[in-house]
Amino acid sequence: MKYFSILIMYLLFSCGKKEDVLLPKSNISIVKDVQDHSPIYIFFKKEGKDTIADLNRKSAIISTNWILNIDKRLPLKVVIPQVIKMQEKKRNEKMHQNEESENYYSYADSIGKNLAFLPFTKVFYKMEKPSRENFVVYFRKGKKQVFMGNKEIQISDILKCFYSIKFQKVPDLVFFFDKNMSYEEYIQYKILLQKDVTHNLDILPVEFIF
């Protein structure tokens, strides 16, 4: 299935209106195809001065792979609570649970002109600061580099810097994202982590948003 615009439009006939989701974009496809999936949408809404993450989960079937189509303009602080809600719904389901089903974020590959997907099935989000017992990689809004220890480094150098430190007791390495960054910026960070750090981000399953 090919997409020639980063503007993905969904017609919600049950509501009698058209709603749009502006997807994040990247020039890399992590996953190009997902079979047996259910779409879930989180729309960008404004209510006065407030930005609202409007969740539509009517098509979500527990036993399938879930694809979350989220508007890139939304800040993480309103997106992640909705993501947590959907994760808990799927994890707590007993009757129709499919242990092989995965969760993905969708985004637009601007080079391949296709819809691409980023897995996040095993990620557990926490809307708080990480404890001092953890070794934190801090992703700040509007920055291309990350803050680790007392200095800024390139994302591709995260593991090299971590393993170069002589710890008395090796701490847990955790990612800490600025809650005010856009969802698009978050996805771009996650894609770089998959590309330049490790393809198996499940080894770092806890992410802090604050």
Side-chain angles (χ1 to χ4, degrees):
M1 184 179 296
K2 297 292 183 180
Y3 293 81
F4 297 94
S5 171
I6 64 167
L7 173 60
I8 307 300
M9 295 185 292
Y10 298 97
L11 300 180
L12 303 182
F13 295 106
S14 61
C15 299
K17 63 179 179 179
K18 181 181 74 176
E19 295 193 83
D20 301 335
V21 173
L22 285 171
L23 292 181
K25 63 177 179 177
S26 175
N27 60 0
I28 301 168
S29 286
I30 300 298
V31 176
K32 293 184 178 181
D33 185 52
V34 178
Q35 300 294 324
D36 188 25
H37 65 267
S38 296
I40 297 167
Y41 312 117
I42 300 181
F43 298 100
F44 178 91
K45 297 289 184 183
K46 293 291 289 186
E47 292 185 2
K49 295 182 179 181
D50 295 328
T51 299
I52 307 297
D54 184 18
L55 173 65
N56 185 301
R57 60 183 186 187
K58 294 178 181 178
S59 301
I61 301 172
I62 292 289
S63 61
T64 64
N65 296 305
W66 281 3
I67 296 178
L68 272 67
N69 307 285
I70 302 174
D71 197 294
K72 68 181 184 179
R73 298 168 291 180
L74 290 165
L76 279 191
K77 63 184 177 184
V78 300
V79 167
I80 298 303
Q82 300 287 25
V83 173
I84 292 172
K85 182 189 300 183
M86 295 307 297
Q87 285 181 313
E88 290 178 348
K89 180 178 177 63
K90 197 172 191 180
R91 287 168 177 161
N92 294 334
E93 174 63 38
K94 302 302 180 185
M95 288 185 62
H96 304 290
Q97 189 178 62
N98 176 1
E99 293 183 357
E100 295 183 357
S101 68
E102 303 283 346
N103 299 329
Y104 298 88
Y105 293 124
S106 69
Y107 64 97
D109 184 333
S110 57
I111 302 298
K113 304 297 183 183
N114 58 274
L115 196 62
F117 309 96
L118 183 68
F120 69 99
T121 309
K122 296 182 180 180
V123 175
F124 283 82
Y125 291 104
K126 294 187 177 182
M127 302 293 291
E128 60 190 50
K129 288 184 178 180
S131 70
R132 294 183 179 181
E133 297 176 357
N134 298 312
F135 194 86
V136 177
V137 180
Y138 182 32
F139 297 80
R140 293 176 293 180
K141 178 182 178 181
K143 298 289 185 178
K144 292 184 178 180
Q145 294 182 312
V146 296
F147 193 75
M148 185 173 176
N150 296 315
K151 61 181 180 179
E152 285 187 332
I153 64 169
Q154 299 293 332
I155 288 178
S156 58
D157 291 333
I158 288 175
L159 290 184
K160 181 177 73 175
C161 290
F162 180 73
Y163 289 125
S164 69
I165 300 172
K166 296 180 179 180
F167 297 105
Q168 288 186 345
K169 180 181 179 182
V170 179
D172 290 331
L173 178 66
V174 301
F175 296 148
F176 177 22
F177 294 90
D178 184 343
K179 67 179 181 182
N180 293 309
M181 75 170 56
S182 69
Y183 171 71
E184 177 172 44
E185 188 173 4
Y186 170 72
I187 290 299
Q188 289 170 346
Y189 273 134
K190 292 280 285 184
I191 290 169
L192 288 175
L193 286 169
Q194 286 269 359
K195 173 179 175 289
D196 295 332
V197 180
T198 174
H199 288 289
N200 183 18
L201 289 180
D202 288 345
I203 64 173
L204 300 172
V206 180
E207 293 184 11
F208 293 84
I209 314 294
F210 191 80

